[in-house]
Every structure is written in C-alpha cells, then in structure tokens.
Amino acid sequence: MKPYAERTREELESLKLQLKSEYRDYQSKGLSLNMARGKPCTDQLDLSMGMMDVLSSDVDLTCEDGTDCRNYGVLAGITEARELIGDMMENPAECIIIYGNSSLNVMYDTISRSMTHGVMGNTPWCKLDKVKFLCPVPGYDRHFAITQYFGIEMINVPMTSSGPDMDMVETLVSSDDTIKGIWCVPKYSNPQGISYSDETVRRFARLKPAAKDFRIYWDNAYGVHHLYDWDQDHLIEILAECKRAGNPDLVYKFASTSKISFPGSGLAAIATSPNNMEDIKAQLAIQTIGHDKVNQLRHVRFFKNIHGLVEHMRLHANILRPKFEMVINTLEQELGGLGIGTWTTPKGGYFISFDSLDGCAKQIVAKAKKAGVVMTGAGATYPYGKDPNDSNIRIAPTYPSLEDLHTAIMIFTLCVKMVSIDKLLSVTPENDS
Amino acid sequence: MKPYAERTREELESLKLQLKSEYRDYQSKGLSLNMARGKPCTDQLDLSMGMMDVLSSDVDLTCEDGTDCRNYGVLAGITEARELIGDMMENPAECIIIYGNSSLNVMYDTISRSMTHGVMGNTPWCKLDKVKFLCPVPGYDRHFAITQYFGIEMINVPMTSSGPDMDMVETLVSSDDTIKGIWCVPKYSNPQGISYSDETVRRFARLKPAAKDFRIYWDNAYGVHHLYDWDQDHLIEILAECKRAGNPDLVYKFASTSKISFPGSGLAAIATSPNNMEDIKAQLAIQTIGHDKVNQLRHVRFFKNIHGLVEHMRLHANILRPKFEMVINTLEQELGGLGIGTWTTPKGGYFISFDSLDGCAKQIVAKAKKAGVVMTGAGATYPYGKDPNDSNIRIAPTYPSLEDLHTAIMIFTLCVKMVSIDKLLSVTPENDS
C-alpha cells in the first residue's frame, strides 16, 4: 500500500469521497458498539460461575486455622487467601494484605493515608507545599484521576518499548524531594501492553530517591493475564529485587482478581515490606475490623491453588486471544503501509495502543462516536486528559463480541483514514484553505 | 440486701474473706470467657446460612434493571439493594449509597474525605488549625479511635436517659465553629442501650451550627436490632426531620447488615441528602468503580424485602433475649440493693452498660481477667480511653453461650463486690492504711 503522504492531492481527494460514502453506510446502521473500557465480556464472566457453587449451607465456612469466616476479624485476610494471592503476586503470604473488591480503592487509600498521616513517620503530604508524581505516558486514566484529585502535580515520563524512560526517572527522583511516587503498570501495561525489561526493573529497585517517603506504585494489574501459553512476558519480581538492592521499603505492589473472577466481586491486595505493612496496618485497624472473609474463602475454594488459577487464566486467554489477533490483523490489513498510524501488539493485558498522526486522535474518536463506536476518550491516557501530540488512542477489545469488534475496528480504521487525509490535505503546500 | 456502705467494717472484712475464697475457686477452673466485643454468636451466624444458597451457577445474576452484577460499575449500588437497605434505614432508595462490608470503613472514609477535601466546598479540615468533635459518653470506642487517629480534639458530652445532654450540645455547636461533628448511636446506644427521645431528635434536627460543615454522624447501628416483638424503641427519622427543620444537609446516617447477615460479609451504607450525596459521589468515583454487587444481590435474594429482614431479626432476638435477660437478672440478684453498681436494661442493641463506684472499673476488669473473663477494657467507652470517674464497664453478652455467660457474669459480680469492699474499706474513717 502506498503511504498517504506520498499520494497526490487528487488521489487523496478521490479516496476521501469513497471513504465518506462507506462512513455514511455505517452511520445509517445506527450501531452502538463499545471499545472504551477494559471490561471482561460475558463469556469470561461465565468462566467463574462455579464460584457461586463452592459455598453453600452444607459447607463449613471455617478456614484452615479454625477461624469462622462468617464473623468479625482477621485484618490482613485469611491465611489461605493470602497464600493464593501471594502465589499469584509472587510474594510470600506474610507480605500480603487482602482488601475488599477493588485495587483502585487500595491505591486511593494508600495516597489518602499518605496525605493525612504520611509514609512511615514522614510529614503528611497535606502539610507540604508541593507533592509531585511521575506518570509514565501513555498510562491509566484512573491512576491519574487519583493523583489529580489530591492536587498532586503530575510529570509526564515517556514510555519506551522497555518501560518508562529510566534516565529521566532516575534524574528526577534523585534530585527532587517533592516527587513522592511513580505510577507503574509493569506488565502488559495499560494501554500499550508493554512489559518492563529486566534492566528497567533493576533500575527501579536501585533508585536513590531524594524523598525518604518516595514509593513506587507498582500496579501489577495484568500479572497473570497472558494471551499465549508459551509466548509470555516475564517480570523480575520487584519486592525481592528491591530487597536485594538494599531498598526493601521502596515499593507498594497492587493486584486484584477483578479480571480473573468477577470484576467488582473479586479480591484486591497489596504486597509490600514488613515496615510498610506495619505502617499500613496501624491505619487499617482504625478503618475497618476486616474485609470480606467469606469471599476470600470462596475464591480459595474455587481456584484451590495457583495452578487452578493459572488454568483458569488459560480459559480467559482462549476467549481474548482471537479478539486481540483480529484487531491486530485488521489494523495491519486496513492501515499497514499507509503511514498514518502505529499500534502495539501485546502478548497480554487488556489493551492495544494506537498512535495516529499528530493532532488527529480527538477527531478520530469523535468521528467513530458519530458512527456508533465508543472509544476511550482521546487524551485519557495522559495526566489532566492532555495528550500533547493528540495522537494516542486506547483500544479495549475485550468486551464486544468478535463480530461487533470487527465492525467497530473497521469503522475505527475508516475514521483514521478520513481524519488523516484531512490532516494531510490541510498541511500540503497546495492547501487551498 | 443491706447496702455495703451501711455495713460495719467487720461485716465487710468477713464478707471479703468469703468472696476471696469463691474467687479462688473460679481461678482454679482455668476459664477463658469473653464478654469484650459486640460479636454475634455461632447460632446467630447459622441463621444466615441460607444466604450461601440463593446464588448458584444455575441462577441469573442480572438485576432488575438488566445490569449484570458480575461486571464492573454501578457506583451507588444496585437498585433493589438500595431499596432494601433504604427500607431498613427508613429512607428512600435515592438517598442511599451501598458501600462494601463495613460501616466503620464508611465513617472513616467520610472523616478522611473531610480532612483532605472538606465538606461541600468548605475548607479541608487538614488546612485548619483545630478541628473538634463532640462525643456523647459513654460511647463507642471505634468512633473515638477514628477521630483520635485524625488528630481531632474530642469533647465529652454526658449521656442522659433520653440521649446526649442537648443543652450542652446546642451551646457548644452554635458557639464554636471548630466543632465539625458529633458521634451518635441514636438507637439502643453503644454501650447503654439508650434510644434518643423524640425531643432529642428534634433538637438535633434544629441545631444551628456555627460551622457550615458541621455534620451529625448518625450511626444507626442497631436500627432493627430489637429484643422484643412489641416493646420496641422508635426513633424519629432524622433525615426527614432535618428536612422539615430546614436543615437538610445536617446528617450523615450510617448502617450495615453486619449484625443481620454476616459480620465482615454484609452490606454497609450511608443515607444522606442530595447535596451530600453529590459531594460524596464526586469522591467515590475516584476511589472505586463500584462495590460488590454480587453480594448486594445475594442479600436481596435472601431477605427478599424488608418484611423478610424484620422476620430474620426476630430469630436473632430469640437467641439474644435470654442472654440479656439472664445478665440483667443475675446483676439484680447478685448486686441489687448493695449500692455498689447500676446498670442499664436495654430493649435492643448489643450491650449492657454497668457503672461501678467511682474509681473501681479498671480494678474490676483486671480482676475479672485474672479469673479468665475478658471484658471490654475499662475506659474504652470514653475518648482517649479516659473515663474520668473510672466507673463505666461495657458488658457484651451476645457471643458466649448462655452457660458460659452465666459463669462470666457471676465472676463479674464477684469482682464488683470485692473491689467495692476494698474501696469502701479504704475510704471509711477507720481506714488503717
């Protein structure tokens, strides 16, 4: 395919007319398709229906140490759940606190506690004039929403194919003690599906922060969310690496089963060092008597152990793999060689990241919406919703059926072509505007 | 029975010897009994085992409006759960937000949000030099722990038989704009089991706070927790009364099903005005995508409606009533007329409040512990753990079996007698110390 940039004005004008006609055809269908959020589809939810059967009135709800899961107590979670989630997070059970249903909530509470009470005896952030966070971009909009909500200044750090730009991270973190954290989605990142390289993880573990209360917010949301059986990314385990590097307290690691069992009815957890654990539990004991142990038991009885959970993830992969492959193939088939967009080909996670020509993302998303395809808002992958190049678009292929997804991605590529042509026509020397 | 104060020194000395011998007999038994926390007993937990059967892999987990409860979303809770909890709290479903498993957590988060972001546009409390709360005493230790954790100064307000001393509340709240809240357990209060009179509720609704961001923290923890079918306390509904009084935004009302279904696996909720709802939801949307809807559905399918829930509470009452009555009867039988203690006779809730002679509570609790009976720590019912008279002791009769409870309360009354005699001997003019 000849790149658009090498085509004549006449060729582009003619193509534009043809594309417009295709677009009108789609519009006339009154479609309503959604590729906005990283939401499991119904087939995926059905995989966990067995979880509704493992507990019943005939079943003993006592856990292994004799605790009645139905009553109050057990602040950090029942032992067998800490073991299961520990195996999933690659950390010992003693380093795990099981929370409620949402790791986002755990991250929010972690920031909120740092604001009101500080980190391990340091000044509460609300008493400081300025608090900053590093935000690898593109990234996860809900992370940025939390930091923005607390008035924390966000500094963009570009992502590379091996993780955040570590030269920049090291320079900033070691020189500015108002920088208190960095948001990381280290495996199959949101939205690019990039996994941090061994070097990146090692450099993270060896950071020398100017601020004693600097912490890495390691949101390992997609730790076991592979698309393939063999071709899987592997991450150096960050807590162990930090310990080896003499930086044991540097990381809060987050995870949940939201995209394993049921979103909204799963288990969320934090894994961290003994010092951080002590700091967190002193607060948690004031906030609650304990989280939902019956649901913890339900998860343990359903998955049995980490092998059961991994097998379960293969079933998820069987549903998701065709969707990801179809999107990638369609992008390649429709846009390959045209020079009007690039995209990632992740081996796991929930997203594909698309980069259009600069200044086109907002228009593409708006155009798709007018044809009935809802995408994540352009800009959402950047702090304050401001993509400086207006080029990044997050594609969330998990929720629609394969058929709907195909239609949606065809419409998307059509919109990319139309907006790109407009862009190219407006900047060519022959521009008649 | 002749009051101890009217007995001669010789009579008391002789009685003391006899009691000491009884006490040693109990000590030799190596008992381990617990009357410390308001914890449901196993028989009560068994009442809700049917909740483990209402959802299964054969059952549709879709709620009435078509939402799949297994997936993300629905910030304020599913409609049918808001209706059920609304009926329980005596508020319209639109005024209800369903949270996770713990109303304590909701209260903590409410204070925390006020610290970091303020109440309805007012200055965040963390930016103020001083924030104070009124604390009716005796009260609930976990309330006081939250305010203490956030560095909020607590002011004791004495409880009367009709609720907090409202003259004092009115004077303080209207004159001091650093007073931002008051903790209330308005029905079957913790620990006294007192329900606020109609006049008290009306005066609360008509408060004229100096601080615009003053709120009543109305923890209606025992709203449906009656001991009797007919002899039940009734409370004027506070949100409606505030609305009528032209003070619609004055109250945050909290409740949960922790002592209805399973503690730790129930539903917690807040009920409040539309303005407060908007303020809360703006924060909640940053903190979470939604709470556990499957558990919300489980509760609705199990209780069906408010009548089902009320019938369920009768079963709880059948288990608890004999325990409360036995404790009251034993206190009367062992201590009646002796002039060494007074106690409450609640018609609901989870506690009986005991007041010893001044300066005796700590010693009584310590003595009981040495005979194997764990009580709530003396002082716990006061802010900072400081009971100025050292007289209040909370009795939690729900968890032990009737037999264990009888032994425990016999030991308790024995300890009351022994410590009271020591006290009386030490203050009599013939005091030989």
Side-chain angles (χ1 to χ4, degrees), chain B residues 38-79:
Chain B
K39 221 174 144 175
C41 64
T42 306
D43 286 349
Q44 290 179 269
L45 301 177
D46 288 344
L47 296 176
S48 299
M49 281 307 282
M51 186 141 44
M52 296 293 98
D53 297 330
V54 290
L55 303 186
S56 73
S57 58
D58 301 329
V59 167
D60 188 6
L61 302 187
T62 307
C63 52
E64 285 163 18
D65 70 359
T67 302
D68 188 337
C69 287
R70 303 170 302 175
N71 222 325
Y72 283 114
V74 194
L75 191 62
I78 63 174
T79 306

Side-chain angles (χ1 to χ4, degrees), chain A residues 143-368:
Chain A
H143 285 166
F144 304 151
I146 292 174
T147 24
Q148 183 169 2
Y149 180 72
F150 282 101
I152 294 171
E153 186 182 317
M154 294 181 276
I155 300 170
N156 293 0
V157 174
M159 282 289 286
T160 73
S161 60
S162 58
D165 177 337
M166 289 310 293
D167 290 341
M168 187 172 171
V169 170
E170 286 165 352
T171 305
L172 287 168
V173 165
S174 63
S175 63
D176 185 348
D177 70 358
T178 68
I179 296 175
K180 302 297 189 189
I182 180 168
W183 289 117
C184 294
V185 183
K187 196 164 178 179
Y188 305 133
S189 70
N190 179 350
Q192 294 168 298
I194 289 171
S195 296
Y196 293 9
S197 70
D198 289 355
E199 186 194 332
T200 298
V201 177
R202 291 203 178 96
R203 288 174 75 176
F204 263 115
R206 283 158 185 78
L207 283 177
K208 294 181 175 43
K212 278 192 294 184
D213 51 353
F214 173 89
R215 292 291 180 274
I216 302 166
Y217 287 65
W218 197 258
D219 181 7
N220 203 9
Y222 309 107
V224 293
H225 303 60
H226 308 284
L227 288 174
Y228 300 94
D229 263 1
W230 304 107
D231 193 11
Q232 299 183 343
D233 290 347
H234 179 263
L235 214 61
I236 294 182
E237 200 293 301
I238 185 73
L239 283 180
E241 187 63 19
C242 284
K243 209 169 165 185
R244 288 189 288 265
N247 260 336
D249 301 327
L250 196 59
V251 177
Y252 299 130
K253 188 174 169 184
F254 307 93
S256 81
T257 68
S258 293
K259 294 180 179 83
I260 299 173
S261 57
F262 293 140
S265 304
L267 305 179
I270 198 169
T272 195
S273 69
N275 285 333
N276 285 325
M277 285 276 279
E278 194 183 330
D279 196 39
I280 293 168
K281 281 160 93 174
Q283 174 261 329
L284 198 59
I286 306 292
Q287 189 179 25
T288 185
I289 306 173
H291 294 102
D292 185 344
K293 295 185 297 300
V294 171
N295 203 32
Q296 292 172 22
L297 192 68
R298 186 179 288 118
H299 277 72
V300 173
R301 298 265 171 99
F302 180 63
F303 290 116
K304 296 189 178 67
N305 52 43
I306 186 61
H307 179 62
L309 190 144
V310 163
E311 287 295 306
H312 186 80
M313 292 313 290
R314 292 182 60 188
L315 305 178
H316 278 288
N318 290 343
I319 295 168
L320 295 181
R321 195 170 45 244
K323 296 187 179 183
F324 275 78
E325 290 180 346
M326 191 268 285
V327 170
I328 302 286
N329 290 341
T330 308
L331 290 171
E332 183 57 41
Q333 175 192 306
E334 293 298 317
L335 303 177
L338 297 184
I340 56 173
T342 58
W343 52 90
T344 57
T345 54
K347 292 186 279 185
Y350 262 63
F351 304 104
I352 292 162
S353 180
F354 182 89
D355 278 296
S356 68
L357 298 178
D358 284 358
C360 290
K362 272 189 197 306
Q363 284 181 64
I364 292 167
V365 169
K367 214 174 194 56

Side-chain angles (χ1 to χ4, degrees), chain A residues 12-194:
Chain A
L12 290 177
E13 295 276 15
S14 154
L15 181 56
K16 183 176 167 177
L17 281 178
Q18 181 199 322
L19 296 171
K20 203 175 254 179
S21 154
E22 286 176 40
Y23 182 77
R24 285 207 186 110
D25 286 349
Y26 280 120
Q27 274 193 310
S28 69
K29 290 183 182 169
L31 297 168
S32 174
L33 305 169
N34 196 310
M35 291 196 297
R37 303 299 319 178
K39 220 173 147 176
C41 64
T42 306
D43 287 349
Q44 289 179 270
L45 301 177
D46 288 344
L47 296 176
S48 299
M49 282 307 282
M51 186 141 43
M52 297 292 98
D53 298 330
V54 290
L55 303 186
S56 73
S57 57
D58 302 329
V59 167
D60 187 7
L61 302 187
T62 307
C63 52
E64 286 162 19
D65 69 0
T67 303
D68 189 338
C69 287
R70 303 171 301 175
N71 221 326
Y72 283 113
V74 194
L75 191 62
I78 63 174
T79 305
E80 49 262 60
R82 293 170 81 190
E83 277 168 4
L84 174 66
I85 300 299
D87 283 344
M88 179 182 99
M89 295 177 79
E90 304 179 326
N91 299 109
E94 312 86 74
C95 298
I96 306 281
I97 300 172
I98 312 272
Y99 280 76
N101 71 327
S102 157
S103 60
L104 190 74
N105 199 327
V106 185
M107 292 180 244
Y108 176 100
D109 283 9
T110 303
I111 302 269
S112 187
R113 180 182 61 247
S114 305
M115 293 299 293
T116 57
H117 288 80
V119 174
M120 276 175 55
N122 290 284
T123 309
W125 297 352
C126 71
K127 303 290 181 199
L128 301 174
D129 290 333
K130 175 72 85 179
V131 175
K132 298 177 196 160
F133 255 60
L134 302 186
C135 299
V137 289
Y140 179 32
D141 55 351
R142 293 192 194 267
H143 285 166
F144 304 151
I146 292 174
T147 24
Q148 183 169 2
Y149 180 72
F150 282 101
I152 294 171
E153 186 182 317
M154 294 181 276
I155 300 170
N156 293 0
V157 174
M159 282 289 286
T160 73
S161 60
S162 58
D165 177 337
M166 289 310 293
D167 290 341
M168 187 172 171
V169 170
E170 286 165 352
T171 305
L172 287 168
V173 165
S174 63
S175 63
D176 185 348
D177 70 358
T178 68
I179 296 175
K180 302 297 189 189
I182 180 168
W183 289 117
C184 294
V185 183
K187 196 164 178 179
Y188 305 133
S189 70
N190 179 350
Q192 294 168 298
I194 289 171

Side-chain angles (χ1 to χ4, degrees), chain B residues 135-141 144 156 190-191 353 355 376-387 391-395:
Chain B
C135 299
V137 289
Y140 178 33
D141 56 351
F144 304 152
N156 293 1
N190 179 348
S353 180
D355 278 295
T376 309
T381 54
Y382 280 75
Y384 311 107
K386 286 180 193 158
D387 174 358
S391 66
N392 188 250
I393 297 172
R394 186 178 78 166
I395 298 173

Side-chain angles (χ1 to χ4, degrees), chain A residues 368-389:
Chain A
K369 191 172 184 187
K370 282 186 192 159
V373 176
V374 178
M375 320 269 307
T376 309
T381 53
Y382 281 76
Y384 311 106
K386 284 181 194 158
D387 175 358
N389 300 317

